[in-house]
Amino acid sequence: MNYTDKEKKGIDKVENMNKFFDKVLMPTIGVLAIITLIAFITGKLMDKFGGGQPSGSSEILQNSSADSDLMSLRAELLAGYEDNSEAFAAYGYEPAEGYVQDLALCKYVDEELVIYQFKDSVLGEFTILKYEPSQTSSGDAPYDVLSLTVSSEKLMTVTVSGDDLDCSVAFTSTDFSTYMEDDREEYEKMMKAVSLDELKSLYDIFEADINNLARSCGVS
């Protein structure tokens, strides 16, 4: 069947959105369900048997608290989107079309990086940073797309894809020091193509973006 140029662009857009959903959103949904179940079971065990704070864990708890505050701030911002839509737009966020979530926003940071903010009645809030290095900056980069999905301080899904690479790892700490045991093979494959500094840099961008958006909306 022969298509016009306009129809071809529409088809390409739909196909790209489908690939994005299959490779990023679907793995996140599945892993989030698992993490939620693990957290529920762990909480029940702690309630039943108790347990003291491990020696030397105060710094870890402080970092966890800061990350938790950041997630709460994101939730507050997205919950107040209707009242602050102009501030969101001034900061660069616009509604993203084609998604089934209750709220879907995106901001094009530059030609290589896009940040998506989602609010969903089932999954809650999650952010996706999608980085596609250009030929100029990538050089011989071993991947075409690096994506970080921040669901909570205990769940960050990293997806990497390229000509000979397609893997996804669920990390369970914001410093990317721990990940789900079932992802060990995927982790080892991924870290041959991506450095820890790259992952931390993406998370730093996420953190700065939320804090700057809060200032833009007058939320402290």
Side-chain angles (χ1 to χ4, degrees), residues 70 73-81 84-94 103 105-107 115-118 127 205-220:
L70 185 65
L73 179 58
R74 177 181 62 181
E76 180 181 353
L77 289 169
L78 295 183
Y81 172 72
N84 294 301
S85 58
E86 292 184 0
F88 271 77
Y91 186 58
Y93 276 106
E94 297 289 350
L103 178 64
L105 305 171
C106 70
K107 181 179 74 170
I115 303 178
Y116 295 86
Q117 300 287 356
F118 293 99
T127 304
I205 292 172
F206 160 70
E207 183 177 29
D209 185 68
I210 293 298
N211 285 323
N212 289 336
L213 176 59
R215 283 191 283 271
S216 179
C217 294
V219 177
S220 58

Side-chain angles (χ1 to χ4, degrees), residues 16 20 108 110-114 116 129-135 137-138 141 143-147 161 202:
N16 288 333
F20 179 68
Y108 290 85
D110 54 35
E111 62 179 9
E112 297 180 327
L113 179 64
V114 184
Y116 295 86
L129 294 90
K130 185 181 180 185
Y131 172 62
E132 296 182 79
S134 64
Q135 292 183 349
S137 64
S138 65
Y143 59 81
D144 295 329
V145 180
L146 171 61
S147 174
S161 60
L202 279 179

Side-chain angles (χ1 to χ4, degrees), residues 53-173:
Q53 176 177 311
S55 176
S57 65
S58 59
E59 183 177 351
I60 295 175
L61 290 176
Q62 289 174 0
N63 291 338
S64 177
S65 177
D67 292 326
S68 180
D69 290 344
L70 185 65
M71 304 307 164
S72 296
L73 179 58
R74 177 181 62 181
E76 180 181 353
L77 289 169
L78 295 183
Y81 172 72
E82 294 298 330
D83 295 330
N84 294 301
S85 58
E86 292 184 0
F88 271 77
Y91 186 58
Y93 276 106
E94 297 289 350
E97 299 179 357
Y99 297 96
V100 298
Q101 282 70 29
D102 299 334
L103 178 64
L105 305 171
C106 70
K107 181 179 74 170
Y108 290 85
V109 179
D110 54 35
E111 62 179 9
E112 297 180 327
L113 179 64
V114 184
I115 303 178
Y116 295 86
Q117 300 287 356
F118 293 99
K119 182 176 182 294
D120 187 84
S121 57
V122 176
L123 298 177
E125 301 79 22
F126 58 99
T127 304
I128 297 175
L129 294 90
K130 185 181 180 185
Y131 172 62
E132 296 182 79
S134 64
Q135 292 183 349
T136 302
S137 64
S138 65
D140 296 325
Y143 59 81
D144 295 329
V145 180
L146 171 61
S147 174
L148 169 64
T149 301
V150 182
S151 300
S152 72
E153 69 273 18
K154 295 181 180 179
L155 176 60
M156 279 146 299
T157 306
V158 177
T159 303
V160 182
S161 60
D163 291 338
D164 301 314
L165 183 66
D166 189 1
C167 52
S168 180
V169 177
F171 290 88
T172 54
S173 63

